[in-house]
Amino acid sequence: MADLFNILKVTVGPKKLTARVLVNPGMPLMTSENVEATARVYYLAPAIAEHLCLGDAGSKFQDCMGNTEIAHLLEHLTVEIMNETGLAGSISTGRTRGVLGDDRLFDVELSCPDDALAIGALSSACFMMNWAFLHADTMAPDFPGTVAALTSLVKNLRGADTAPEDADAGNGDSAAVIDTEGAVAEQHDFAQDAVFGGAAAE
């Protein structure tokens, strides 16, 4: 069976990583198409419900989580994995935008204090969502174990136990923000509102 997502391209810049994400044909585009699977993602990482999510149905991700784009759920899960490692600095950001001309293509932007951390978190989030939406009859992913393994990997690659400088959230590119207290703010910016039938957020 095909995976839920296909990561077509990853671009790493000095402050952010952008992944071009295809939601594969035949897979749901909206979380409302499979609320049970969406709930399984929530049970893996319940903190995503408390992420602030600006420009959507309410002030928190829980207000739109039941009826939002699958790629948006992927973004929040990825940001939460990065945050749980404690290695993303005091601020983690993310943004999901539709790609004009294809309602299955999205650009998921993540603050990137460390490319291995961001790519590892994105890969882990894809794996967890594949389980939730396609393989729920198998053993659930070990969220704490995944975070611990990613933390260890990134620390080994860095050759030190220190976190990088804080990501810069003030450059206009950042949209989801987690501070060290666990608060998350996110600006759900769908610049290509035609892709979503006029349902874009401001």
Side-chain angles (χ1 to χ4, degrees):
M1 178 179 280
D3 288 339
L4 190 60
F5 302 110
N6 189 0
I7 307 299
L8 301 179
K9 179 174 70 170
V10 172
T11 305
V12 179
K15 293 185 179 178
K16 69 180 179 181
L17 175 149
T18 303
R20 176 64 56 92
V21 177
L22 172 69
V23 181
N24 282 320
M27 300 301 167
L29 281 172
M30 303 293 291
T31 57
S32 56
E33 295 176 52
N34 193 331
V35 292
E36 294 84 2
T38 301
R40 284 189 282 271
V41 173
Y42 163 77
Y43 289 126
L44 285 176
I48 63 174
E50 295 302 312
H51 290 189
L52 296 181
C53 190
L54 308 177
D56 221 319
S59 62
K60 293 185 178 180
F61 185 54
Q62 66 185 1
D63 298 324
C64 72
M65 188 167 52
N67 188 30
T68 192
E69 294 75 17
I70 292 287
H72 187 207
L73 180 60
L74 175 68
E75 173 216 328
H76 276 270
L77 183 58
T78 303
V79 169
E80 184 58 27
I81 292 169
M82 290 175 63
N83 181 57
E84 289 288 331
T85 67
L87 299 176
S90 63
I91 298 174
S92 295
T93 65
R95 175 182 296 183
T96 300
R97 292 190 284 187
V99 175
L100 187 63
D102 190 336
D103 63 358
R104 291 191 166 271
L105 272 181
F106 298 86
D107 283 332
V108 175
E109 297 177 0
L110 304 164
S111 62
C112 188
D114 185 302
D115 55 351
L117 175 62
I119 291 169
L122 178 62
S123 177
S124 297
C126 287
F127 176 80
M128 291 176 186
M129 287 188 62
N130 274 335
W131 167 79
F133 281 83
L134 304 175
H135 306 294
D137 57 337
T138 64
M139 183 179 296
D142 178 358
F143 186 87
T146 299
V147 168
L150 181 58
T151 302
S152 177
L153 171 67
V154 173
K155 284 183 175 181
N156 285 337
L157 290 173
R158 288 180 183 172
D161 288 342
T162 56
E165 293 295 318
D166 293 348
D168 178 7
N171 61 10
D173 289 331
S174 41
V177 178
I178 299 181
D179 65 25
T180 53
E181 312 258 315
V184 182
E186 194 233 26
Q187 186 177 32
H188 189 180
D189 178 16
F190 288 118
Q192 321 301 342
D193 60 345
V195 174
F196 301 98
E202 293 293 326

